[in-house]
Amino acid sequence: MDIGDTLSKLTLDEKIELISGADFWCTKAVPRLGIPSLRMSDGPNGVRGSRLFNGVPAACTPCGTGLAATWDVDAIRTIGQMMGTEAIAKGASLLLGPTVNIQRSPLGGRGFESFSEDPVLSGKMASSIVQGIQSTGVVSVIKHFVGNDQEEQRQKSDSIIPERALREVYLLPFQIAEKEARPKGYMTAYNRVNGIHVSENPRFLQEILRDEWGFDGIIVSDWYGTYSVAEPINAGLDIDMPGPTRWRAGLAKLSVNSSKVSKRALDQRIRAILKTVDRVASLKLEENVTEGTVDTPETAKKLLDVASSAIVLLKNDRNVLPLDKGRTTAIIGPNAKFAAYSGGGSASLRPYYVVTPFDGVQTHIQSLKYALGATAYKKLPMLTSITKAPNGAPGMEMRIYAEPHSVKDRIPIEKFNIDNSSCFLNDYKHPNIPSNLFYVEVEGAITPEIDAEYLFSLTVNGSGRLYVDGEEVVDNETTQRPGDSFFGSGTAEEIGSKHLVRGQKYNVLVQFGTAPTSKIAKGGATQMGVGGLQIGGCAKTDPTVLLEEAVAVAQSVDQVILCVGLNSEWESEGWDRANMDLPPGSDALVEAITAANPNVVVVNQSGTPVTMPWVEKVPAIVHAWYGGNETGNAIANVLFGVTNPSGKLPLSWPVRLEDNPAFINTRIDGGKVLYGEGVHVGYRWYEKIKRDPLFAFGYGLSYTQFKLENLAINDNPEDSSDAATVTISIDATNIGSQDGSEVVQVYVAHQTTTVQRPLKELKGFSKVHLSTGETKSVTIQLDKKYACSFWDESADSWVLEQGTYHVLVGNSSQNTTLQGQFEVQQTRLWNGL
Ligand code: BGC
């Protein structure tokens, strides 16, 4: 495309059209000039496509922390490429990921989406995934730029970040990705940073990103993440998403006509958009193309490889692991027959398939005993898991109507089956539905396997009632209680119950009206227009009985796999966790099962740390993140030694929530969240205050042992130029009895400077596979200026300071047995990349 020529032919009205979304996922087209509409899709751990519910199935990778736990840049590049291919199948030329915010605290609702507490690990992972995605021609939209490190009040909170921390911790992952991978898209964060919303902050969008780093791609807002008309356009925000826009129609034109927005600023936005259109033209994606899948054995293999390599072996006393297939085995726990494959919110997607730990383990052991032990749901489980639609298919039937439920003989505009009764309707579109106001019926039948009291629930952004055989069981309409559902726009869960008789068929009907029928005025910044509903239901259980049954099962076998953890209800976009604990009942379950059987392996699944008060009593602990489609197979392969675990923690695992560096500065206070720990995030904090975490950053065991030796540092002390490097090499040997992989981690320390620095900081790493007895020389090249510099606030630049730098090499932040040093002879200030 001749961008200058096209720009000159666009009318003001067309330009104003182009700078906002056409609908929830697409940009606007100008057909007369051959400018097509582009589709965007989330997100960080897969490609959902353009439907928030009932979407076209997709591959789901481990969550961000899981991907980072591989410490394997090549594997992550492969995953990026796989995601790019899936984006193309879904007709999307812009992929909304990766997420590279920082886990200041274990409680961040989206901590699972981001890679690491460490900016270098995060930046390297981001670079690899962006390289992979963009190798397919798809644009990677890295997010959320910057300072959106928690969910509470995310649109109005002000992240007060000291300048050094901003540069050295929060901007650095973006900077590294920019240097190594050149993502062609950025998504702005919802929040303010140091007083100004990022989406309208010229310092971030123009001065740092475009001028300092030389970014030449497109900047899109987070969804409903703009709060004014002229400011974001002037600051450099190219596209306001989603459409229809709140700001960028008549008001934007008025802003141009009144010179609140200069024609030059508008043209810069258009240039970025046209450049992106041009960039993805070679993909030849048709507009409104039907979404496809890449559900192949090759995809499954990649997903299994990465999920397996993400798993971290935290503890293995008495070599309880790998398990012996010849021994009697039970699998117990709320996450045994439930695949915790992803966290919640916009990262979630409809997976091609999921493998539960139970299914995965059963492929290794035929006669497997099972007990639930405790439930772990926050809201009732999806009703669709126990219902059949009127046509007999699993799930329920959904019918969409333009008229309210009171209208007799109304005809549905559309009807289809759903297999997941969490239905966020915001991107639902139908030509016969002209506004946000429409009505929905959801219907299915239950034939209970037991006589029991059944619980039913409705959570809505809108209003709804649930009937069982015509009898009203849940009313979430007459009175409504605000809750955190639907990214904070919806109600709390309303629960009702009814006794159901085994073998009898019951009809369940839900009648729902979209958001305009809601009685609660949320008044939030997010106007989640259309709304949504979640229908829950299950037989009521007695916690004491569940526990007793599980203990009896545990006592009857030689070894127990105990699957606990969080899930997409506990870790999700829209809110932060209230505490660091497992769901109520899980700790008691671990204690009871551990007392009942000496050979217990706890498999924990969560995106961020959980408290483990029972840690000393349990002989073996495996941490398996949210593992994507292949969750259960990956876990089973580690448990039975098919995979030798090689994951390492990408974040520190505190003993108690109170230990974490952001503990007193996590909640929003007076509209602000103070990043009081400064640069001392994660292990930098635990090391400085001499408080041991439960498991350290970079830590993870293997079924074999490795020896690292012969550290050599190759450096020219006189060279502090832009291109200066330091080469670190060591010999790594597998001295154990199984093949395996080790992560060699290089930390750098410098204590003689004018500013307070962490005791050491990760600057490079390499994952190496070694057969039994094998030795390999591992070489890690550090970019000297990135390895040594700090941000000098007074000079407004990076400083590569003269002095002696210590190099610490090992296999975790707490185990750096090899030490050496190198010199920087001349101080140098630098900016840019
Ligand atoms: C999230 C983004 C996401 C967007 C579109 C927002 O709520 O913060 O990360 O890409 O929705 O789903």
Side-chain angles (χ1 to χ4, degrees), residues 24-25 41-44 48 52 96-97 99 110 113 143-144 148 151 154 187-188 190 221-224 345-347 487 526 528 573:
F24 217 76
W25 301 114
S41 176
D42 283 310
R48 186 182 52 243
L52 279 163
L96 307 175
T99 309
R110 299 179 87 172
E113 269 188 53
K143 65 191 187 183
H144 306 87
N148 182 186
E151 290 297 281
R154 61 182 178 169
M187 183 188 287
T188 50
Y190 279 122
S221 72
D222 200 343
W223 268 227
Y224 308 104
S346 61
F487 301 124
T526 308
M528 289 288 189
E573 181 175 343

Side-chain angles (χ1 to χ4, degrees), residues 132-154:
I133 292 169
Q134 296 196 156
S135 71
T136 64
V138 168
V139 164
S140 168
V141 181
I142 193 168
K143 65 191 187 183
H144 306 87
F145 188 67
V146 59
N148 182 186
D149 307 298
Q150 67 190 69
E151 290 297 281
E152 188 188 352
Q153 300 180 26
R154 61 182 178 169

Side-chain angles (χ1 to χ4, degrees), residues 636-710:
N637 283 352
V638 165
L639 295 179
F640 292 102
V642 177
T643 305
N644 188 351
S646 62
K648 305 276 179 182
L649 291 176
L651 23 77
S652 312
W653 197 289
V655 177
R656 317 172 303 157
L657 179 65
E658 291 79 355
D659 293 348
N660 97 77
F663 178 67
I664 54 165
N665 281 318
T666 323
R667 297 297 175 209
I668 311 293
D669 209 350
K672 297 181 176 161
V673 55
L674 178 66
Y675 285 40
E677 68 282 11
V679 296
H680 292 94
V681 177
Y683 64 90
R684 292 160 167 80
W685 166 263
Y686 296 102
E687 293 187 352
K688 203 61 170 267
I689 67 161
K690 295 193 171 63
R691 182 174 299 156
D692 281 343
L694 187 56
F695 301 109
F697 174 82
Y699 166 84
L701 300 172
S702 165
Y703 296 150
T704 190
Q705 292 84 43
F706 302 97
K707 189 166 164 198
L708 307 182
E709 59 192 342
N710 303 331

Side-chain angles (χ1 to χ4, degrees), residues 758-822:
L759 296 186
K760 64 175 183 293
E761 297 181 279
L762 181 78
K763 295 298 177 183
F765 57 90
S766 176
K767 189 164 190 169
V768 56
H769 183 79
L770 295 163
S771 309
T772 313
E774 189 183 10
T775 299
K776 276 184 188 160
S777 168
V778 180
T779 303
I780 297 165
Q781 200 173 60
L782 306 182
D783 199 332
K784 209 181 229 179
K785 64 183 194 183
Y786 278 80
C788 304
S789 302
F790 67 90
W791 182 260
D792 184 336
E793 295 190 20
S794 56
D796 203 22
S797 75
W798 292 101
V799 182
L800 170 58
E801 198 179 41
Q802 176 269 331
T804 302
Y805 289 80
H806 294 274
V807 174
L808 302 101
V809 182
N811 66 354
S812 91
S813 59
Q814 272 186 343
N815 184 32
T816 49
T817 46
L818 300 178
Q819 307 200 356
Q821 62 186 52
F822 66 91

Side-chain angles (χ1 to χ4, degrees), residues 53 382 398 418 420-425 440-442 458-464 486 510-513 531-535:
F53 90 104
M382 296 301 137
M398 181 178 264
I418 55 171
N420 183 320
S421 46
S422 179
C423 310
F424 191 27
L425 293 162
V440 175
E441 277 188 344
V442 188
L458 266 184
T459 313
V460 295
N461 177 13
S463 61
F486 301 104
V510 171
Q511 293 191 319
F512 166 78
L533 74 161
Q534 181 164 324
I535 312 166

